[in-house]
Amino acid sequence: MATAAPSSTSPDIEQPGAALTAFAPGQAPAFSPLYQQIKTLILQGLQQGEWKPGEVIPSEFDLAARYKVSQGTVRKAVDELAAENLLVRRQGRGTFVATHAEQQVQYRFLRLQPDSGTVDSEGPAQRDFVDCRRQRANAEVARALGLRAGDPVLQARRLLRYAGVPTILEDIWLPGGPFRGLTVERLSQYHGPMYALFEAEFGVRMVRADEKIRAVLPDAGQAALLEVTEATPLLSVERVAYTYNDVPMELRRGLYRTDTHHYSNQLN
């Protein structure tokens, strides 16, 4: 008696549902683990504004039904997004889109820590905007922000003081289009984190950043604002922050005093 040919599909391997066929070419290759494909689909929903910062996303049960996969697969995708600070689990309430207004996310990109105490015990910095103007992007700024030289950008300079001591001097460049209408008055009036303002009023959420760090000496103007001498070594931190889909949305160059603070990072 002839036996049937073995199936090429093992019953122990979950197969993608019909919902996964919506990927564009190159967006989710066939060899991508299923939970990674679900993660990509959830990210698409976040990027398209289906679920906004601070809003609850559907339950794992509902997402599993939507994407025609198991709850375990959805859970693994959500776990990764939570580990990346894009989603926040709240016991008994569900899973929410993370927002920079939340305490555990506020200092996600700020790695300067006080030598004594913690960021929370130190309290928020006093923020003074020294300058804010619209200008044309030079070649270096345009390259960092994925723009063309001459495109409009907003440049701001702000000084952060801790316990009255000027500690961080930042120069910030933002693409003009997404931040149309942003003024120095609005920046000065907003008392929460700058990134929370960006997501609440301009729909731009920073999800990751690349940094370059080096030791430098300040010029005369920088030294005067930070109340140090031109011979004082400072930590220079250049950051490019990205929104969803790796779109650069901010170039930030900071000079950090390290006489009472230090740069701290956890490497996994």
Side-chain angles (χ1 to χ4, degrees):
M1 179 177 177
T3 58
S7 169
S8 61
T9 302
S10 166
D12 297 326
I13 299 178
E14 184 179 3
Q15 297 301 302
L20 300 187
T21 61
F23 285 109
Q27 196 170 42
F31 54 82
S32 177
L34 187 57
Y35 80 92
Q36 288 285 356
Q37 297 181 43
I38 301 303
K39 177 182 175 182
T40 299
L41 285 172
I42 296 173
L43 276 171
Q44 286 178 355
L46 295 173
Q47 181 181 358
Q48 294 164 5
E50 182 175 357
W51 310 299
K52 295 179 171 56
E55 292 183 351
V56 65
I57 68 169
S59 67
E60 291 176 0
F61 176 83
D62 290 337
L63 289 173
R66 171 176 178 167
Y67 299 130
K68 298 181 173 58
V69 296
S70 71
Q71 285 182 249
T73 297
V74 170
R75 184 175 301 114
K76 192 169 184 180
V78 171
D79 283 345
E80 282 207 355
L81 292 168
E84 294 169 7
N85 292 310
L86 298 181
L87 297 177
V88 176
R89 294 185 183 278
R90 293 183 180 143
Q91 187 68 32
R93 296 180 58 193
T95 302
F96 292 74
V97 182
T99 166
H100 285 283
E102 297 199 43
Q103 188 66 29
Q104 66 267 39
V105 182
Q106 283 187 17
Y107 305 113
R108 179 182 172 195
F109 295 143
L110 180 60
R111 299 297 181 178
L112 198 68
Q113 304 285 330
D115 291 339
S116 301
T118 65
V119 169
D120 291 332
S121 64
E122 184 178 48
Q126 174 190 340
R127 295 167 293 182
D128 298 316
F129 282 90
V130 180
D131 191 20
C132 183
R133 66 182 68 181
R134 292 196 173 265
Q135 57 185 221
R136 299 292 177 179
N138 62 29
E140 188 177 7
V141 171
R143 184 166 52 252
L145 293 177
L147 304 173
R148 294 174 299 181
D151 280 352
V153 294
L154 180 75
Q155 181 182 4
R157 169 172 279 195
R158 73 170 182 174
L159 186 65
L160 303 183
R161 301 174 185 268
Y162 291 95
V165 178
T167 305
I168 303 175
L169 178 63
E170 295 180 316
D171 287 302
I172 302 164
W173 290 266
L174 304 168
F179 293 97
R180 187 176 290 107
L182 182 60
T183 63
V184 67
E185 289 79 18
R186 188 66 192 103
L187 287 169
S188 300
Q189 291 167 1
Y190 191 82
H191 298 297
M194 182 180 286
Y195 286 170
L197 171 65
F198 292 169
E199 69 182 17
E201 297 193 13
F202 298 91
V204 176
R205 172 160 169 72
M206 306 300 187
V207 299
R208 74 173 190 86
D210 292 333
E211 285 188 339
K212 296 178 182 178
I213 304 174
R214 57 171 56 93
V216 300
L217 295 176
D219 61 28
Q222 294 165 341
L225 287 169
L226 286 170
E227 298 178 8
V228 296
T229 71
E230 293 179 55
T232 303
L234 302 173
L235 196 62
S236 168
V237 181
E238 180 176 305
R239 175 198 307 164
V240 177
Y242 300 82
T243 187
Y244 299 112
N245 210 27
D246 276 346
V247 177
M249 279 291 173
E250 179 199 54
L251 170 63
R252 183 180 299 216
R253 290 174 178 158
L255 292 179
Y256 295 10
R257 284 179 55 169
T258 57
D259 46 344
T260 59
H261 289 72
H262 62 275
Y263 188 93
S264 176
N265 199 9
Q266 293 182 342
L267 305 178
N268 296 322

